[in-house]
Amino acid sequence: MESPLMLVPVILSGGSGSRLWPLSRESYPKQFHALLSDYSLLQETLLRLEGLPGLASPLLICNEQHRFLVAEHLRAIGQTAAAIVLEPEGRNTAPAVAIAALQAQSQGEDPLLLVLPSDHSIADPAAFRATVQTAIALATAGHLVTFGIVPEAPETGYGYIKAGSDLDLGGFAIDRFIEKPNLATAENYVASGCYYWNSGMFLIRASVYLSELARYAPEMFTACEAAWQKRQADLDFVRLDPATFAQCPSDSIDYAVMEHTQQGAVLPLQAGWTDVGSWSSLWQALEQDGAGNVTVGDSLALDCRNVYLRSEGRLVVGVGLEDVVAVETDDALLIAHRDRTQTVKQVVEALQREARRESRAHRKIYRPWGRYDSLDLGDRFQVKRITVNPGASLSLQMHHHRAEHWIVVKGTALVTRDNEEVLLTENQSTYIPVGCKHRLSNPGRVPLEMIEVQSGSYLEEDDIVRFEDHYGRS
């Protein structure tokens, strides 16, 4: 009896999520946020796959900065990755999927790869799984299958796929890909019934994709194969060779392969899909009150219509507003007309030109051992709230330009200071002078919370000399 075909989820977790600024930042993009439920978008992407036949452990592609976030989000839902592959730099989706295909074949199998962005929303997971099962026959027959979203409106923010001849397996040959159209053209597409939104999701056999990539983008294939061959294992991660991968051209699957191959297929999908690509699309995806309002966090809408109000901390109140988005974080506030939320990316670009920190990171920064929140910053001091996960430790380190005062407010801290160790409990404190070799650990079973007061002539994060680190950081 033939063994069931292996189905490997390939989750693409890159990008900066700039269109959902100020919540989404380069250091903590939208796939790590719980925007539609109690789970992050990344977690929802994995959870909706449960029940698919032949489902294997997922393979994730991400960058260096997000590696521990990815691992933690998987751990929180009880999943273990087959591999977490780290790209030295972003090269778009075609190389990412090539690396995934090579990695998936490394155990001697030739599985089907279910390629999914980590930041999409599916309102009807059962319908999605049923469509994936239909796609298995197409992919097994050698087709490179993309899922085309049955359009609900003449959307100008998406690319389109025109369906060609019927393939008798539930899908259609791909006639052509179309860039984002104007409104009149989009209306004609929807009325015709043979155009679909381009979802960026695929079901492909690993060997077929690699063969087509070698045919239509040989330079990319060669660079990906060389970078993967020179890979190195680092804890639970797979690191590609940076110098080799840097030679790889950057391109999407659509441009590199799908627009050229004779084996492409589009399968219609109706499952309540959205790419959560703007605050307006998020407003549409969430349940609204009788006046069309969505309020998240500590927020209140009075005499408002069709507004999205989100608070991450302070109370946000809207009065007499219509078609407005207001999003509050600890260091920024966005107020925009709902029809203009696609241009939020331009705000981030303007902040980047001014080298503003708000374009890159939140006040709260996540680390593999926990997180810290910068509460106050002055000319020669900084105050942080530090949370260390149970059993976790910071690196053994030293600073040249700053001293630190630590005050434990919750839990237990094991502090290393040069050649001594001190156990601190709530309301106890210690002092770390300049040049002292030190480490902070949480030996307890509850999160350790403490206040750190830094003082000195230079307070940036690069004033760290690491001697030992459990997480492979230099």
Side-chain angles (χ1 to χ4, degrees):
M1 182 176 178
E2 187 177 345
S3 61
L5 196 62
M6 183 185 296
L7 182 65
V8 176
V10 174
I11 312 300
L12 307 178
S13 183
S16 60
S18 58
R19 289 179 295 171
L20 286 184
W21 185 90
L23 188 65
S24 181
R25 310 279 177 98
E26 180 181 323
S27 65
Y28 206 85
K30 63 178 177 177
Q31 64 264 32
F32 301 114
H33 290 279
L35 296 175
L36 299 165
S37 71
D38 293 334
Y39 297 103
S40 69
L41 294 179
L42 171 60
Q43 291 169 332
E44 285 191 343
T45 300
L46 293 164
L47 291 172
R48 73 172 65 103
L49 304 180
E50 294 179 359
L52 283 171
L55 190 67
S57 297
L59 198 163
L60 289 99
I61 312 292
C62 71
N63 63 33
E64 170 86 14
Q65 186 178 16
H66 299 151
R67 65 194 190 281
F68 293 111
L69 286 173
V70 167
E72 174 59 23
H73 279 242
L74 264 67
R75 185 206 62 78
I77 57 173
Q79 294 206 18
T80 302
I84 300 175
V85 181
L86 307 182
E87 290 183 307
E89 52 189 286
R91 280 292 183 261
N92 215 317
T93 55
V97 176
I99 294 296
L102 292 164
Q103 182 70 30
Q105 288 184 325
S106 62
Q107 301 303 315
E109 302 280 352
D110 186 20
L112 296 184
L113 309 180
L114 181 57
V115 180
L116 303 171
S118 61
D119 54 1
H120 289 181
S121 168
I122 301 287
D124 189 347
F128 173 73
R129 290 191 295 271
T131 305
V132 171
Q133 289 185 253
T134 300
I136 287 175
L138 283 162
T140 303
H143 291 288
L144 301 175
V145 184
T146 185
F147 296 91
I149 308 302
V150 178
E152 301 171 355
E155 174 64 54
T156 60
Y158 299 139
Y160 284 71
I161 301 170
K162 184 182 181 183
S165 58
D166 193 333
L167 294 173
D168 297 325
L169 292 171
F172 303 90
I174 294 174
D175 182 275
R176 62 192 175 104
F177 287 83
I178 301 103
E179 292 296 324
K180 298 174 183 178
N182 58 36
L183 181 58
T185 303
E187 289 173 341
N188 291 334
Y189 288 168
V190 174
S192 75
C194 59
Y195 289 81
Y196 302 95
W197 293 340
N198 187 354
S199 71
M201 301 186 293
F202 302 86
L203 185 67
I204 53 181
R205 190 185 284 276
S207 60
V208 175
Y209 177 74
L210 290 173
S211 175
E212 293 298 275
L213 185 70
R215 175 179 299 177
Y216 297 111
E219 185 180 352
M220 180 182 294
F221 172 80
T222 300
C224 288
E225 187 177 43
W228 184 80
Q229 290 289 352
K230 296 178 182 179
R231 69 196 182 280
Q232 293 186 341
D234 177 12
L235 300 176
D236 297 327
F237 309 106
V238 176
R239 292 182 180 274
L240 303 178
D241 180 66
T244 309
F245 195 67
Q247 304 304 312
C248 180
S250 176
D251 213 345
S252 69
I253 300 177
D254 292 347
Y255 284 129
V257 175
M258 297 300 291
E259 290 190 354
H260 307 288
T261 183
Q262 301 302 305
Q263 295 169 246
V266 58
L267 185 65
L269 172 64
Q270 284 186 293
W273 172 91
T274 176
D275 70 346
V276 198
S278 69
W279 289 113
S280 181
S281 66
L282 183 58
W283 167 81
Q284 290 176 324
L286 291 168
E287 184 178 353
Q288 302 162 7
D289 66 16
N293 301 316
V294 174
T295 56
V296 181
D298 193 8
S299 57
L300 180 64
L302 298 176
D303 192 27
C304 293
R305 292 179 59 82
N306 301 325
V307 303
Y308 179 93
L309 305 181
R310 184 184 190 98
S311 166
E312 294 294 302
R314 292 165 291 181
L315 174 64
V316 173
V317 178
V319 180
L321 302 176
E322 186 170 351
D323 296 324
V324 166
V325 167
V327 181
E328 178 269 349
T329 67
D330 52 21
D331 62 350
L333 172 64
L334 170 72
I335 302 172
H337 193 280
R338 204 164 47 78
D339 291 342
R340 297 293 305 278
T341 57
Q342 287 283 359
T343 62
V344 169
K345 186 176 182 179
Q346 297 174 16
V347 175
V348 177
E349 292 169 353
L351 294 173
Q352 290 172 339
R353 288 193 295 270
E354 297 179 9
R356 293 287 299 254
R357 180 182 180 276
E358 292 90 345
S359 69
R360 306 185 311 276
H362 290 279
R363 204 180 69 181
K364 185 180 293 182
I365 302 294
Y366 289 83
R367 291 289 186 255
W369 43 261
R371 62 185 182 272
Y372 67 84
D373 186 357
S374 296
L375 303 178
D376 197 6
L377 177 65
D379 184 33
R380 292 180 59 88
F381 76 91
Q382 183 170 203
V383 181
K384 292 182 178 180
R385 178 176 180 171
I386 296 176
T387 302
V388 183
N389 297 328
S393 298
L394 282 69
S395 59
L396 182 64
Q397 58 186 251
M398 181 267 285
H399 309 296
H400 288 295
H401 304 287
R402 71 174 185 252
E404 296 172 343
H405 301 257
W406 292 348
I407 304 147
V408 176
V409 295
K410 179 182 177 182
T412 302
L414 178 63
V415 179
T416 300
R417 293 184 307 191
D418 287 330
N419 296 319
E420 66 171 340
E421 287 190 343
V422 180
L423 199 64
L424 302 177
T425 57
E426 294 180 12
N427 297 319
Q428 293 184 322
S429 62
T430 190
Y431 171 65
I432 309 295
V434 173
C436 175
K437 188 183 294 186
H438 61 278
R439 167 176 270 159
L440 174 64
S441 304
N442 179 1
R445 297 184 177 181
V446 300
L448 163 65
E449 295 186 8
M450 52 172 281
I451 301 299
E452 175 183 84
V453 181
Q454 302 176 356
S455 59
S457 58
Y458 185 77
L459 305 173
E460 297 297 330
E461 287 301 303
D462 57 359
D463 181 25
I464 296 178
V465 178
R466 288 192 174 96
F467 301 97
E468 296 175 11
D469 186 64
H470 299 313
Y471 313 107
R473 298 169 299 173
S474 59

